[in-house]
Amino acid sequence: MKERLEALKSDALAELAGVNDAQALGDIRVKYLGKKGALTEILRGMGALSAEERPVIGQVANDVRGAIEAVIEEKQEAFQRAETEKRLAKETIDVTLPGRRLPEGGLHPLTKVIQDLEDIFVGMGYQVAEGPEVEMDYYNFEALNLPKNHPARDMQDSFYITEDILMRTHTSPVQVRTMQAMQGESPVKVIVPGKVYRRDDDDATHSFQFHQVEGIVVGKNIRMSDLKGTLLQFVREMFGAHTEIRLRPSFFPFTEPSVEVDVTCIKCGGAGCRLCKQTGWIEILGAGMVHPNVLEMGGYDPKEYSGFAFGMGVERIAMLKYGVDDIRHFYNSDLSFLKQFARL
Ligand SMILES: [Zn+2]
């Protein structure tokens, strides 16, 4: 019986040596060590042994089982290790590969310029105010020192809805609304971005609808030099640190004195080119000291308070900043045009 057990052991080990997958390993375990396996078969003969032989054979049988199990276990571990390594090799990813770029949108250039303007003026302590686009004649004209039949009303041909209501022709009515809302308290310090409407024929530089940003400051001892310093700071942040400004006398009904403001040509830096008509300067906005009549209608005593105001066309700023030659590009939603600004 002992010989049969030894023979079983060497058979099993020989067979195990040739095994190279987990399935075959399981089959061998059943064949030799299972309930109906070869070892059980041999041990069935134990009953016929003498009382002295039984523990001896029992010990041999345990050793045989242990030896076979040890080899099976060892092989199983090796198979598992190999399997894991195979899987890791298959699932390896190259973390240095560049990712796939997702399609992304961008801000419209006019939105970007308005946001830049807001950032610059908020940085100087301004608040951003808004007002209605459908406006009363009173706020759009009368309270800005433009009474009915004033000749300057012709400068801004308007879309009237009724005799007293129109599409606002500038963002200036928000000046009056803001001053009135402050009820004579100072300081007023706001900028007003928004859409405005004029009965213009569309061409390369005109549109019946465009954007303005208006600014107004009202307080005590506000002077022309404050206006100049503010505008210089603004153009340097918008167009670059070397930009200079030039103020030329002008006329607006709502400011006195009034100025038109030029900046150093963005294209040639002042040397003279086609864009600036060889002058080195480009006009970008109108400004002035708030007219005493406007202060008064806004609820401020012009003997005690003074202020300055300025207004500019957002499209004009954007055209100069980005070198766009036709205002209509901003409105016709041409993606090949708009995509140029997505990463600026
Ligand atoms: Zn130039």
Side-chain angles (χ1 to χ4, degrees), residues 175 212-215 227 231 247-248 250-252 254-255 257-262 283-289 308-313:
Q175 289 187 11
Q212 277 192 339
V213 170
E214 186 91 8
L227 169 63
L231 294 178
L247 308 186
R248 285 181 290 107
S250 183
F251 169 79
F252 302 111
F254 24 85
T255 46
S258 303
V259 289
E260 303 224 42
V261 181
D262 298 341
E283 186 198 324
I284 59 155
L285 58 86
M289 302 307 288
F308 64 73
F310 54 86
M312 64 192 101

Side-chain angles (χ1 to χ4, degrees), residues 264-282:
T264 333
C265 176
I266 284 97
K267 200 170 178 188
C268 65
C273 68
R274 239 183 61 192
L275 182 66
C276 58
K277 299 192 180 79
Q278 310 303 331
T279 63
W281 295 98
I282 286 184

Side-chain angles (χ1 to χ4, degrees), residues 92-104 343:
T92 299
I93 43 169
D94 183 354
V95 292
T96 66
L97 278 175
R100 288 190 191 90
R101 195 173 273 286
L102 293 170
E104 65 185 273
R343 274 178 233 286

Side-chain angles (χ1 to χ4, degrees), residues 36-106:
K36 293 172 182 168
L39 188 63
T40 314
E41 181 65 35
I42 296 171
L43 295 181
R44 250 185 222 130
M46 289 274 272
L49 297 176
S50 68
E52 294 82 42
E53 277 176 318
R54 225 174 278 164
V56 178
I57 295 300
Q59 185 61 48
V60 173
N62 279 343
D63 290 349
V64 167
R65 178 185 286 277
I68 296 170
E69 266 176 354
V71 173
I72 289 176
E73 215 161 285
E74 199 180 290
K75 286 238 166 198
Q76 211 156 31
E77 271 171 31
F79 289 153
Q80 264 162 12
R81 245 193 336 267
E83 185 71 24
T84 306
E85 270 162 27
K86 216 165 90 189
R87 211 179 63 228
L88 285 177
K90 208 172 89 186
E91 290 174 1
T92 299
I93 43 169
D94 183 354
V95 292
T96 66
L97 278 175
R100 288 190 191 90
R101 195 173 273 286
L102 293 170
E104 65 185 273

Side-chain angles (χ1 to χ4, degrees), residues 12-30:
L13 294 185
E15 209 168 321
L16 280 171
V19 161
N20 47 21
D21 68 89
Q23 177 65 45
L25 207 59
D27 292 348
I28 292 174
R29 184 200 289 276
V30 172

